[in-house]
Amino acid sequence: MSAENYTGDAIFDKNTKIDPRDGRLVLANMIWVIFALLIGGTAGLLQTLVRSGQFELPFGIGYYQLLTLHGVILALVLTFFFIMGFQTAAVSRVCGALNKVERTLGWIGFWFMTVGTLMAAAMIATNQASVLYTFYAPLQAHGLFYLGLTIVVVGTWLAATGQIMRYQRWRRENKGQKSPLLAFMVAVNNVMWYVCTLGVASSMLFQFIPWSFGMMETINVKLTRTLFWYFGHALVYFWLLPAYMVWYVSIPKIIGIKGFSDKLARMSFVLFLFFSIPVGIHHQLVEPGIDAFWKGLQVVLTFMVIVPSLITAFSLFATFETYGRKQGATGLLDWFKKLPWKDARFVLPFVGMLFFIPGGLGGIINASGQMNQLVHNTIWIVGHFHITVGAPVVLTYFGAMMFLLPHITGKRISTSMNTMGLWLAYTWALGMGIMSTAMHIVGLKGAPRRSTFSEYGGHEVAQEWISYQMMQAVGGVFLFIAIIIAVTLFVQLIMGPRSNEVEEFPVARFLDDDVIKVGWVENWRLLVIITIFLVLIAYTMPISQIFTESIAGSKGYKFW
């Protein structure tokens, strides 16, 4: 291997352990993940029971209060804490221990996220922030809700800055060498996060927070929704890319084989950086006031995001087939049966990958102008969201915690823990399959999203929905059982007896490790310029039109 591409054998050694000081920071984040999973999962179960028409919430709890709690806790709190914890572990694993400044930024970010979460949670608990999870005016929450979630985002910026500083320090110390793939992926995800959160940060600071505290009487609804989706779709990839990190870098090592291509992996992440942000208007295809040309342009850019997803699918299944062939598979699909179906670290992410196939197809439907007319604002969208985030992302996060928690706590994955992980994968898949299938079908029949149970005055169309809503409740029960399994498993991985043998944080080699590096892929000035250029093309005119049109502002509404 040439010196230009050499990244050091140490990062591939299964005995290489994360620095204990970094491990404590990682563990603090993961404890929040477990707590958020239990609270948010309970809220989700109650939602499905209410929508079935067979259950009423006790203690004066409102359905929309519960909906907001479920969305914020699972979609923001769980994911943000996992991502910051996992990415800290990733850079520490492949680049070496963080220094004092980098680690301090991680801790300050953690405490910002904690304080912000508690502020937002207090407003939800007191029914002062029942705004259906999104920052969607003219629904108005208490100002502390918006301020709290803004503080959470600032916390992610601080933690992400420490991670990027460690990556850049590695590059300075190893000039001319190809950076570790995992650290490069972390840097891409964080840069994307910096760019996309500028939209929601400006919306919070200059619109929502002053408006909710009474400093402004009205708010520009179209502007805030456009800025929200400038952030909102990239948010999905912020959740997804850490799962891709596990798929590309850890899964091949878990099954004992080299990854397919380091270069393809880097290219897919670069394409996600370019095309995950300038696509948010495809969530506003049915909204007035945005010219059809700009909607069409962002639909085209949305379809560009399909390319790195297909690259990922090709790379991963090439790896799996290579593994199967080495195990003696001969037929066209015989390799599928040879995969390590008894290893929960593999099964959890792999089941998530399978869900991503119909999830991706549904995304193409949602982003297509004419088909979006049919499914927009129906519970089809909720079903799509759950099989793209609630299955691939969450199951991969679970798989990562299977090896990450014992790695940093000095435990071993016992046979019973591995069996529990398998039960977790299949129970979650069963629940998510039942629930999301029912949501997709009844969405096509017109059932609305964001709404509690209603018979709509006995209307015959609404009567068709009820059996599917009961199916959603059945799926929700199985998902809650899976959550109990997950929480029990993760507590055991933290609290179980210590072992003298270090549990591996798996980092794979790739078939093309010896190939000369592609210099422009880590030319960050170029990557950022292209990213900003695409954002300016997609958003300059739509946002300029909002400022030049005479749009009446809206007062805030609090319905619950």
Side-chain angles (χ1 to χ4, degrees):
M1 183 180 291
S2 65
E4 186 177 28
N5 295 301
Y6 180 72
T7 56
D9 286 326
I11 67 171
F12 304 110
D13 185 351
K14 69 177 183 178
N15 293 317
T16 301
K17 195 173 187 302
I18 295 172
D19 187 283
R21 294 167 296 178
D22 300 336
R24 286 190 285 273
L25 173 58
V26 174
L27 184 59
N29 281 276
M30 294 304 164
I31 289 173
W32 255 115
V33 171
I34 298 168
F35 180 70
L37 176 65
L38 183 60
I39 300 299
T42 302
L45 170 66
L46 294 175
Q47 278 183 259
T48 61
L49 294 176
V50 170
R51 284 187 67 97
S52 73
Q54 305 299 310
F55 178 78
E56 292 186 7
L57 292 168
F59 311 120
I61 300 172
Y63 175 83
Y64 299 101
Q65 182 183 11
L66 202 66
L67 191 159
T68 304
L69 175 67
H70 174 69
V72 170
I73 290 293
L74 291 187
L76 300 181
V77 176
L78 181 150
T79 56
F80 288 2
F81 277 101
F82 177 86
I83 293 165
M84 290 301 107
F86 177 77
Q87 291 187 166
T88 297
V91 294
S92 179
R93 170 68 174 83
V94 298
C95 294
L98 279 65
N99 63 26
K100 185 176 181 179
V101 172
E102 296 156 358
R103 193 177 300 113
T104 299
L105 282 171
W107 276 113
I108 295 174
F110 169 81
W111 287 113
F112 265 63
M113 292 164 64
T114 297
V115 171
T117 296
L118 294 175
M119 289 172 62
M123 294 302 100
I124 297 171
T126 55
N127 202 25
Q128 299 182 73
S130 297
V131 290
L132 314 186
Y133 151 60
T134 53
F135 309 130
Y136 237 43
L139 287 179
Q140 187 183 64
H142 192 284
L144 290 179
F145 174 77
Y146 299 119
L147 183 60
L149 290 182
T150 302
I151 291 172
V152 170
V153 171
V154 172
T156 64
W157 289 348
L158 294 169
T161 299
Q163 296 158 16
I164 287 184
M165 287 172 63
R166 182 64 190 98
Y167 162 74
Q168 293 289 18
R169 182 159 62 90
W170 190 97
R171 295 185 69 204
R172 290 194 302 271
E173 294 168 351
N174 300 270
K175 289 185 177 179
Q177 296 183 24
K178 182 165 55 179
S179 68
L181 175 61
L182 195 54
F184 171 78
M185 291 173 161
V186 169
V188 169
N189 201 33
N190 286 341
V191 169
M192 181 191 72
W193 185 240
Y194 291 145
V195 177
C196 80
T197 48
L198 293 177
V200 73
S202 60
S203 186
M204 290 296 108
L205 292 175
F206 300 112
Q207 298 246 357
F208 276 99
I209 292 176
W211 174 64
S212 60
F213 278 116
M215 302 175 194
M216 293 167 42
E217 185 176 0
T218 63
I219 194 168
N220 188 319
V221 171
K222 189 164 77 170
L223 176 61
T224 57
R225 290 188 179 185
T226 302
L227 290 174
F228 173 80
W229 285 118
Y230 166 84
F231 149 83
H233 195 79
L235 171 65
V236 174
Y237 292 99
F238 184 61
W239 299 328
L240 183 61
L241 291 190
Y244 274 41
M245 296 175 201
V246 175
W247 296 358
Y248 271 115
V249 177
S250 296
I251 294 299
K253 185 62 179 289
I254 288 171
I255 66 177
I257 197 170
K258 288 186 177 182
F260 182 72
S261 173
D262 175 286
K263 292 174 72 174
L264 270 182
R266 292 177 197 260
M267 178 57 69
S268 70
F269 268 65
V270 169
L271 292 176
F272 278 123
L273 174 63
F274 291 163
F275 296 112
S276 62
I277 304 172
V279 297
I281 286 177
H282 82 240
H283 290 268
Q284 300 173 272
L285 292 178
V286 301
E287 288 193 18
I290 300 176
D291 289 348
F293 172 80
W294 299 108
K295 291 180 179 178
L297 174 65
Q298 295 213 17
V299 166
V300 172
L301 292 174
T302 301
F303 288 162
M304 291 299 295
V305 185
I306 298 170
V307 175
S309 294
L310 292 176
I311 289 174
T312 300
F314 172 80
S315 299
L316 292 171
F317 280 89
T319 300
F320 299 148
E321 183 172 0
T322 301
Y323 171 83
R325 300 298 179 198
K326 288 190 173 183
Q327 300 300 312
T330 55
L332 180 62
L333 296 175
D334 191 40
W335 56 268
F336 187 81
K337 295 186 294 185
K338 301 289 186 180
L339 295 174
W341 294 109
K342 294 183 179 180
D343 189 337
R345 298 173 304 162
F346 166 78
V347 172
L348 281 160
F350 187 81
V351 171
M353 294 178 204
L354 296 181
F355 269 98
F356 202 58
I357 297 171
L361 294 174
I364 296 172
I365 291 171
N366 300 342
S368 303
Q370 294 88 341
M371 288 186 283
N372 183 273
Q373 305 279 335
L374 177 64
V375 300
H376 191 83
N377 274 337
T378 73
I379 203 167
W380 161 289
I381 301 296
V382 183
H384 163 75
F385 182 80
H386 278 82
I387 61 170
T388 51
V389 177
V393 170
V394 173
L395 284 175
T396 302
Y397 287 5
F398 289 168
M401 290 178 75
M402 282 287 293
F403 62 76
L404 185 57
L405 289 176
H407 180 84
I408 60 180
T409 58
K411 309 297 189 292
R412 292 292 294 170
I413 302 175
S414 66
T415 302
S416 61
M417 292 177 184
N418 183 72
T419 302
M420 198 179 299
L422 295 175
W423 276 104
L424 169 60
Y426 297 127
T427 307
W428 191 276
L430 177 62
M432 190 62 71
I434 294 172
M435 187 180 75
S436 63
T437 299
M439 287 176 172
H440 278 85
I441 295 173
V442 76
L444 292 176
K445 292 178 177 289
R449 63 186 298 196
R450 306 188 181 97
S451 62
T452 186
F453 175 79
S454 173
E455 295 179 332
Y456 291 88
H459 196 285
E460 61 182 16
V461 173
Q463 298 305 306
E464 297 179 7
W465 304 340
I466 295 176
S467 60
Y468 293 100
Q469 291 173 174
M470 294 182 73
M471 283 181 61
Q472 293 169 35
V474 172
V477 170
F478 279 110
L479 283 169
F480 187 72
I481 293 171
I483 287 170
I484 297 302
I485 295 172
V487 171
T488 303
L489 172 60
F490 298 147
V491 170
Q492 287 185 11
L493 289 170
I494 294 173
M495 305 297 291
R498 294 183 63 84
S499 171
N500 293 327
E501 189 175 350
V502 176
E503 186 67 45
E504 180 182 14
F505 184 138
V507 177
R509 292 182 182 271
F510 286 80
L511 295 173
D512 60 353
D513 277 341
D514 290 334
V515 177
I516 191 168
K517 71 174 184 178
V518 181
W520 70 267
V521 170
E522 292 195 71
N523 183 337
W524 286 99
R525 182 176 299 175
L526 174 65
L527 298 183
V528 172
I529 288 173
I530 293 174
T531 302
I532 293 175
F533 176 71
L534 290 170
V535 168
L536 291 175
I537 289 177
Y539 275 101
T540 298
M541 285 305 297
I543 291 180
S544 297
Q545 289 174 352
I546 293 172
F547 279 110
T548 55
E549 294 173 357
S550 179
I551 301 174
S554 175
K555 294 183 178 180
Y557 292 90
K558 300 176 181 179
F559 295 113
W560 302 286

